Amino acid sequence: MAKLKLDPKVLELAKNMDRTTANKVGALVKEMVIEHCARGVSPVAGAGKFKGYKDKEKYPGDKKGKSPATLILTGWMLESLWYGPGGVGKLLFGYLDENDIEYKKAKTHNFGTDDVPKRPFIPQFHKGEKFTQTIMRAIIDTFNKRVQNLLKK
């Protein structure tokens, strides 16, 4: 589970984040992560485009099956992303059940294996990774709108 930590300047504003705002931010982040992945671009800052397999003819390595792979993209892995408030100024974003098949797929894609290239889509905040500027800007804009609405009252 990743925790999205806010800049101290934004933290004061985030204290007014209610469940509705947290859900708006979570839904927005999830939507933007899915959009980035659909374009083959990582939503993690600095990760760039997702890498393909080095030799598509030998996918994966020398373990290619006799019948062609059925690559039907269902979107279940990304649709299974969970989000919710994680305390003052924090939003939890990730997978709840580590035994779930979608969690296992996500972990494989996020970190890579010997056979699968790394395709990060959830930042490792504890390692200093962040979402792209586009996503961070959208998060800040959502908080700004909430604060403006609070100030109007």
Side-chain angles (χ1 to χ4, degrees):
M1 183 74 60
K3 280 189 181 180
L4 180 61
K5 292 186 182 178
L6 298 176
D7 184 301
K9 298 174 201 169
V10 182
L11 191 57
E12 190 59 36
L13 303 176
K15 287 181 182 176
N16 291 312
M17 181 171 79
D18 53 21
R19 186 169 290 279
T20 304
T21 307
N23 286 334
K24 280 182 188 177
V25 170
L28 176 69
V29 170
K30 181 176 178 177
E31 179 184 326
M32 293 183 85
V33 164
I34 291 171
E35 286 173 5
H36 275 68
C37 291
R39 292 192 325 259
V41 177
S42 176
V44 178
K49 290 185 177 184
F50 290 136
K51 292 181 176 117
Y53 291 96
K54 292 177 185 171
D55 184 354
K56 292 179 185 177
E57 297 300 315
K58 292 183 81 177
Y59 161 79
D62 57 357
K63 300 175 187 172
K64 186 172 182 179
K66 292 178 182 169
S67 59
T70 5
L71 296 176
I72 299 170
L73 302 176
T74 61
W76 290 338
M77 181 183 77
L78 291 174
E79 285 297 330
S80 297
L81 279 169
W82 178 89
Y83 57 84
V88 176
K90 294 179 184 163
L91 175 74
L92 296 176
F93 188 78
Y95 293 87
L96 289 176
D97 184 1
E98 292 185 5
N99 295 316
D100 183 49
I101 187 84
E102 302 308 326
Y103 168 81
K104 292 174 183 175
K105 286 183 202 174
K107 188 174 178 183
T108 298
H109 282 284
N110 219 42
F111 299 106
T113 65
D114 290 342
D115 296 329
V116 180
K118 183 178 176 182
R119 297 182 182 114
F121 64 97
I122 299 176
Q124 302 303 303
F125 295 103
H126 64 283
K127 292 184 178 178
E129 293 181 349
K130 295 180 181 180
F131 281 115
T132 60
Q133 275 191 312
T134 308
I135 295 174
M136 294 304 292
R137 173 60 29 211
I139 292 167
I140 290 168
D141 288 348
T142 303
F143 282 123
N144 285 341
K145 287 177 188 172
R146 173 65 177 139
V147 170
Q148 287 171 2
N149 287 338
L150 287 171
L151 292 174
K152 287 180 184 176
K153 290 182 179 182

